[in-house]
């Protein structure tokens, strides 16, 4: 039965267009969350090159510096002191570190690694994260995960910053050594959800995001949401502003703040933001992004939407299941079998 499921999953995923993706973060190149994301994107048929800081650089925002030779080992002793400023895993050169900041890692991935691995081309997309811990509201100003996504947008590459409530700063080796731990299960769940969202955003082709715009996605804890199917995506704004006029969605022109969305259950917030100011964009820009992902969004229990219906437990469920939802479930099956 498992083999049949894997065969069906592989056949299905072959029909999903793969993208050339640079994967980055601020927690470091060897942390479990980003390696789980790397696995999931590859399993979904994407060509991925990982370019992350050599060490944990959380909270460094959009700081930048010239990469230097390592004075101490990479995180989790994945490379020794004295290693070059940029390096890679000897058994998989798609896994790369940069001994500098998240912005520098993203830039190196876009400008140097992508042409090497993508036949001279720039990446189609940059995924930053998932981050260990949420980046909500004003925290985006100091988040290296968000900073890396902004760098991609500045260079004309569409990007998303993903951040997750559950997870610890643990080595990628725990994904195999402790496959049933809360950290591993959360990493696999968040990774599958991120694949689902990336594929929903990019599915239509054409212009994925407006110039200098990125998306901030935050996942709630997996404590009460252990499975991919438990989650729903909700359009939100970074900063709460009851006087703002946002795109009309779920019967209102004032979107909920992302910090409020993730508190209400198994809802992931989706905020569209300006990559230069790291603040909310206008209603027209929100509308552009909404037009690409509205089939993947739901409303909070106290809202309304023509795309969803309220269930007995107050949650919103989509009336139709998209291909990306099916693909995410299949990816989870492949990673956990």
């Amino acid at each position: 039965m498992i083999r049949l499921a894997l065969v069906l999953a592989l056949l299905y995923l072959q029909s999903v267009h793969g993208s050339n993706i640079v994967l980055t973060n601020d927690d470091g190149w060897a942390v479990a969350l980003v390696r789980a994301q790397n696995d999931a994107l590859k399993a979904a048929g994407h060509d991925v090159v990982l370019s992350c800081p050599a060490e944990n650089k959380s909270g460094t925002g959009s700081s930048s510096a010239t990469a230097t030779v390592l004075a101490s080992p990479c995180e989790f002793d994945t490379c020794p002191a004295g290693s070059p400023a940029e390096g890679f895993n000897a058994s998989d050169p798609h896994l790369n570190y940069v001994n500098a900041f998240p912005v520098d890692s993203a830039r190196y991935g876009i400008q140097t690694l992508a042409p090497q691995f993508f036949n001279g081309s720039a990446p189609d997309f940059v995924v930053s994260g998932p981050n260990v811990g949420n980046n909500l509201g004003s925290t985006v100003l100091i988040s290296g995960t968000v900073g890396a996504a902004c760098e991609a947008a500045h260079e004309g590459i569409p990007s998303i910053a993903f951040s997750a409530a559950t997870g610890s700063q643990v080595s990628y080796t725990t994904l195999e050594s402790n496959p049933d731990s809360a950290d591993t299960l959360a990493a696999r769940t968040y990774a599958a959800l991120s694949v689902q969202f990336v594929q929903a955003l990019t599915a239509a082709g054409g212009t994925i995001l407006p110039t200098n715009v990125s998306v901030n996605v935050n996942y709630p804890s997996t404590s009460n949401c252990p499975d991919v199917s438990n989650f729903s995506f909700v359009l939100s704004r970074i900063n709460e502003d009851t006087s703002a006029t946002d795109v009309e969605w779920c019967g209102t022109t004032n979107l909920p703040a992302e910090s409020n969305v993730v508190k209400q259950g198994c809802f992931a917030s989706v905020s569209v933001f300006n990559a230069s100011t790291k603040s909310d964009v206008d209603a027209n820009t929100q509308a552009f992004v909404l037009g690409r992902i509205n089939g993947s969004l739901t409303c909070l229990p106290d809202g309304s939407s023509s795309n969803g219906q309220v269930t007995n437990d107050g949650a919103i469920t989509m009336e139709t299941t998209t291909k990306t939802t099916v693909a995410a479930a299949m990816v989870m099956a492949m990673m956990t079998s």
Side-chain angles (χ1 to χ4, degrees):
M1 182 64 70
I2 292 176
R3 288 187 177 182
L4 176 60
L6 288 173
V7 170
L8 292 174
L10 289 171
L11 289 173
Y12 179 86
L13 289 170
Q14 285 175 357
S15 68
V16 179
H17 173 68
S19 299
N20 293 329
I21 294 176
V22 167
L23 175 61
T24 189
N25 72 351
D26 72 359
D27 295 310
W29 80 314
V31 75
L33 272 172
V34 79
R35 293 298 183 92
Q37 189 63 70
N38 183 68
D39 293 345
L41 287 167
K42 289 169 59 180
H46 300 290
D47 195 356
V48 185
V49 59
L50 181 147
S51 182
C52 297
E55 301 176 277
N56 183 1
K57 292 292 184 179
S58 296
T60 55
S62 291
S63 299
S64 178
T66 300
T68 58
V69 172
L70 277 97
S72 58
C74 291
E75 68 176 350
F76 308 120
D77 293 321
T78 47
C79 68
S83 293
E86 296 100 2
F88 57 89
N89 185 304
S91 60
D92 184 357
H94 283 77
L95 303 174
N96 293 261
Y97 72 78
V98 177
N99 190 32
F101 292 103
V103 162
D104 306 303
S105 300
R107 185 182 300 127
Y108 183 73
I110 294 168
Q111 296 182 1
T112 302
L113 296 175
Q116 292 178 14
F117 288 97
F118 304 148
N119 297 317
S121 298
D124 299 316
F125 205 84
V126 169
V127 171
S128 186
N131 185 70
V132 178
N134 286 137
N135 284 304
L136 300 161
S138 60
T139 306
V140 300
L141 299 174
I142 62 170
S143 165
T145 298
V146 173
C150 291
E151 173 61 24
H154 295 331
E155 298 200 32
I157 309 299
S159 63
I160 301 178
F162 291 104
S163 300
T166 302
S168 304
Q169 190 77 20
V170 295
S171 170
Y172 72 95
T173 58
T174 61
L175 295 172
E176 292 188 4
S177 65
N178 201 356
D180 297 321
S181 70
D183 284 334
T184 294
L185 295 175
R188 297 299 192 192
T189 297
Y190 292 139
L193 284 165
S194 299
V195 169
Q196 174 183 332
F197 191 83
V198 168
Q199 293 185 170
L201 181 63
T202 60
T207 301
I208 298 172
L209 290 172
T211 301
N212 204 41
V213 166
S214 188
V215 179
N216 190 41
V217 175
N218 277 273
Y219 296 119
S221 170
T222 56
S223 297
N224 297 315
C225 317
D227 190 77
V228 171
S229 62
N230 299 138
F231 286 81
S232 298
F233 292 97
V234 173
L235 191 63
S236 59
R237 58 181 5 263
I238 288 178
N239 299 304
E240 185 169 16
D241 183 355
T242 56
S243 66
T245 301
D246 297 313
V247 63
E248 184 174 0
W249 182 245
C250 296
T252 180
T253 55
N254 189 245
L255 297 174
E258 55 191 12
S259 58
N260 293 330
V261 170
V262 297
K263 294 177 182 177
Q264 297 198 40
C266 303
F267 296 102
S269 62
V270 179
S271 301
V272 186
F273 70 98
N274 182 300
S276 294
T277 62
K278 301 179 183 177
S279 60
D280 293 291
V281 296
D282 60 29
N284 288 335
T285 306
Q286 292 170 339
F288 179 92
V289 179
L290 174 60
R292 296 189 65 91
I293 60 172
N294 58 5
S296 298
L297 295 173
T298 62
C299 300
L300 291 174
D302 58 355
S304 62
S305 170
S306 60
N307 291 326
Q309 58 186 20
V310 180
T311 63
N312 291 333
D313 62 1
I316 303 293
T317 58
M318 301 305 294
E319 293 180 352
T320 58
T321 301
T322 63
K323 279 188 175 183
T324 52
T325 303
V326 177
M330 290 179 172
V331 168
M332 281 293 290
M334 286 189 287
M335 292 191 298
T336 57
S337 298

